[in-house]
Each structure stands twice: as C-alpha cells, then as structure tokens.
Amino acid sequence: MQNKQTKHLVGALELCDLPELTLSGLEVRVDTGAKTSSLHVDNIHEFEKNQQPWISFEIHPDVHDVSKLLKREAKVKSLRKIKSSNGTLERRYVIETDIRIADSQWCIELTLTDRSSMKYLMLLGREAMTGRIIVDPEHEFLLGK
C-alpha cells in the first residue's frame, strides 16, 4: 500500500496523456462520484485481430477544434453495463490503457462512450485514482497547464 506522500494532489480538472493511444494534453474531469473512467469517442467498429476482439474508434482530441479527428484501435477487455450520468444503463466497451499524469504512469480501465453532450472528453473515475491521487475539488490544474 502506498503512503499519502506518494500520491499526487489534483484539482477538479487536470491534464493527462494516454500514451498507448498517442493522445496527449487531454483535459480530464476528475470525478470521485464516478466509479469508472470514460472517454468520448465516435464511430466504434468491432473487428478481430489475432483471434481477439478489437475495436476501432475516432476521437476529437481538441474540444476547441472538432475538425481534428484521430482514428485509434484497442483490444476489447470487456463489454459492461454502466449507469450513465443521466441514470440510464448503457453497454460500453472497456479497454485497458496507460494514463500519464504529472510524472506517474499506470494502467487504467476506460469505457468508451458518447460524451458529446458533456463539457470534457474524459472523465477520471475512482478506480483509476485509488492509491495514486488525492482530489481537492476547489482547484483546477494543480499539476500545471
């Protein structure tokens, strides 16, 4: 078990990288009320690679420039029923990918969904924070912007 000195103090919004998806500088909404982390993607397509289920998807990495579109692929870890913020159950693809915040990098589960009605492309949930992050919701970008 890590002690509190090794945890990063973060605000309600922070920047993160998803190196395996070659995405950097994503504004992430830190949400202790959400169990699972989620990422906004479009046009999810299933395919098989090495006899394993994979998906391709598109992401707009810059919320201020929706013309920028990146296509990515990831191995499917599972399909899971998730209760969305409006209370409805959704079936979502779950992938595993590394996240980098400040000088730390670790693997998280990430559900892929349509967050187009939300302000932030990515939500960082409790499971991804456990043992690594302390949240001060009164601040934003405590690790820099």
Side-chain angles (χ1 to χ4, degrees):
M1 174 111 178
Q2 292 181 317
N3 63 33
K4 291 184 182 188
Q5 285 78 23
T6 61
K7 294 181 184 180
H8 287 287
L9 179 63
V10 302
L13 296 174
E14 291 295 340
L15 294 178
C16 77
D17 300 333
L18 301 175
E20 292 173 297
L21 299 176
T22 59
L23 296 169
S24 59
L26 287 177
E27 281 191 7
V28 62
R29 173 86 167 99
V30 179
D31 186 352
T32 60
K35 180 180 177 186
T36 311
S37 301
S38 63
L39 179 67
H40 170 70
V41 300
D42 292 313
N43 301 320
I44 298 175
H45 297 286
E46 293 181 50
F47 67 98
E48 201 171 278
K49 186 175 182 179
N50 300 323
Q51 299 168 335
Q52 300 283 325
W54 280 65
I55 49 174
S56 66
F57 51 91
E58 296 173 341
I59 182 168
H60 301 276
D62 183 352
V63 292
H64 306 293
D65 180 5
V66 292
S67 67
K68 198 182 264 186
L69 186 67
L70 301 174
K71 189 169 185 171
R72 297 293 183 254
E73 296 179 348
K75 183 179 174 190
V76 176
K77 180 177 183 186
S78 64
L79 263 172
R80 197 177 292 161
K81 285 185 182 172
I82 304 283
K83 190 185 288 188
S84 69
S85 59
N86 64 13
T88 59
L89 276 179
E90 295 178 0
R91 269 182 42 148
R92 294 187 191 172
Y93 288 99
V94 180
I95 65 170
E96 283 186 332
T97 192
D98 278 1
I99 187 170
R100 184 181 307 123
I101 296 178
D103 60 354
S104 296
Q105 184 169 319
W106 66 97
C107 186
I108 65 168
E109 284 188 350
L110 198 54
T111 67
L112 305 179
T113 187
D114 180 352
R115 291 184 50 81
S116 58
S117 63
M118 306 295 180
K119 190 172 179 182
Y120 301 100
L121 289 175
M122 186 170 161
L123 195 72
L124 188 68
R126 289 188 311 274
E127 287 179 338
M129 293 185 239
T130 301
R132 299 179 179 276
I133 288 177
I134 298 170
V135 183
D136 184 346
E138 154 180 20
H139 297 284
E140 296 178 351
F141 305 109
L142 290 174
L143 300 174
K145 188 163 179 176

